[in-house]
Amino acid sequence: MRSTVTPRRYLMCPPAYFEVTYSINPWMDPSKPVDLPLALAQWEDLRDRYRSLGHTVEELEPRPDLPDMVYAANGATVVDGRVLGARFAHPQRTAEADAHREWFREHGFSDFHEPTHINEGEGDFAVTDSWILAGRGFRSSPLSHLEAQEFFGRPVIGLELVDPRYYHLDTALCVLDGDQVMYYPAAFSPGSRAVLARLFPDALLAEEGDAAAFGLNAVSDGRHVLLPQAAVGLFEPLRRRGYEPIGIDLSELLKGGGSVKCCTNELRPAQ
């Protein structure tokens, strides 16, 4: 079992106004009602689990006209205490960027970059020790990759997503620790699969069923990996690698196309 847990600081937003009234990804079906009390209880369980593991959770105030604010990972990307804001692809979510910007500025994050190109925060940016991995194909613009590289001063590796079910990078890939990742190969183009295989030859490769259960929409603190409990095929491979998987039920929030990682924005401190 891995013994090193790095205390993390996360930003989350309670699903007080969560509903599915439109469809901007294949998982959203407005004909399926949302159980709001259950969604809130599931979200609170995730928040409380983080805190029980020694992590800090900040909360963003939800707004009644923005039902997708619960997916806080999309609002920005924070690396070394610097914040790259989001610019959403769909008008239904545009105003979320303003809410996140206000929060960061009110909480001492003075180095904030207002993006020129479309990016949806940690939905499409994943941070390893050596690189920033950047998804494209359905939401974020490839031009945002260079913008992120110039702002953060870290090498950005572009990855092409080809399956609309995995419309954000965080639905198809999870950073476990350092330069260790797990991902679902079929979500990526052949060239991007080759890049991933070259960069991460020892990666944990997910099967289709676990990817479809949003098992890669997970959060790791270096030892504990919080992931959807339905992704049963990932638990034993994670244990063999020294991680401690923790199953989380976010079935109500999956109706909007998000799970553990979508609800969690990591506030990485200055080095």
Side-chain angles (χ1 to χ4, degrees):
M1 182 65 64
R2 287 170 176 260
S3 59
T4 302
V5 176
T6 306
R8 310 293 172 108
R9 184 183 178 196
Y10 298 126
L11 178 63
M12 300 179 68
C13 181
Y17 305 106
F18 176 63
E19 57 182 345
V20 180
T21 58
Y22 49 79
S23 180
I24 57 174
N25 68 59
W27 305 90
M28 301 179 79
D29 183 352
S31 70
K32 295 181 178 179
V34 169
D35 184 333
L36 188 55
L38 178 57
L40 184 58
Q42 291 177 345
W43 179 90
E44 289 175 342
D45 179 60
L46 175 62
R47 178 201 60 194
D48 294 346
R49 193 68 62 94
Y50 284 140
R51 289 174 173 166
S52 74
L53 294 171
H55 305 306
T56 300
V57 178
E58 309 281 359
E59 294 190 29
L60 178 66
E61 185 71 24
R63 299 186 181 183
D65 54 335
L66 297 172
D68 283 342
M69 275 187 70
V70 63
Y71 305 121
N74 301 146
T77 304
V78 184
V79 181
D80 299 330
R82 311 183 76 199
V83 185
L84 174 63
R87 183 177 294 273
F88 286 87
H90 294 286
Q92 294 93 333
R93 301 194 65 182
T94 299
E96 291 181 43
D98 298 331
H100 282 263
R101 184 193 311 108
E102 291 173 13
W103 188 91
F104 281 106
R105 288 180 171 164
E106 290 171 359
H107 288 78
F109 290 83
S110 58
D111 198 350
F112 185 100
H113 178 74
E114 188 69 39
T116 300
H117 303 290
I118 291 174
N119 85 78
E120 298 198 340
E122 287 196 317
D124 276 325
F125 288 125
V127 182
T128 77
D129 278 359
S130 299
W131 306 283
I132 296 175
L133 308 178
R136 62 174 183 257
F138 297 101
R139 298 285 187 90
S140 297
S141 165
L143 296 175
S144 70
H145 301 179
L146 179 59
E147 187 173 20
Q149 182 168 276
E150 288 298 308
F151 178 62
F152 291 126
R154 291 196 181 197
V156 173
I157 307 295
L159 299 169
E160 188 78 20
L161 297 162
V162 296
D163 186 330
R165 294 176 299 168
Y166 307 103
Y167 59 94
H168 272 155
L169 182 64
D170 71 356
T171 65
L173 180 146
C174 171
V175 178
L176 294 171
D177 190 36
D179 286 331
Q180 299 298 313
V181 305
M182 60 179 180
Y183 67 94
Y184 176 49
F188 298 92
S189 68
S192 293
R193 289 200 298 272
V195 169
L196 286 166
R198 182 180 292 270
L199 295 179
F200 308 108
D202 299 321
L204 194 167
L205 303 183
E207 301 290 341
E208 181 178 6
D210 295 313
F214 262 51
L216 297 164
N217 196 245
V219 171
S220 174
D221 64 11
R223 183 173 79 188
H224 310 99
V225 181
L226 287 76
L227 74 166
Q229 63 184 21
V232 293
L234 289 173
F235 281 59
E236 189 53 36
L238 284 167
R239 291 190 185 102
R240 287 199 299 268
R241 290 166 182 253
Y243 296 99
E244 182 181 338
I246 298 174
I248 301 291
D249 182 7
L250 290 181
S251 54
E252 285 304 299
L253 295 172
L254 186 57
K255 292 177 179 178
S259 191
V260 177
K261 178 56 191 173
C262 286
C263 293
T264 311
N265 192 315
E266 184 169 347
L267 308 179
R268 299 176 186 83
Q271 298 298 312

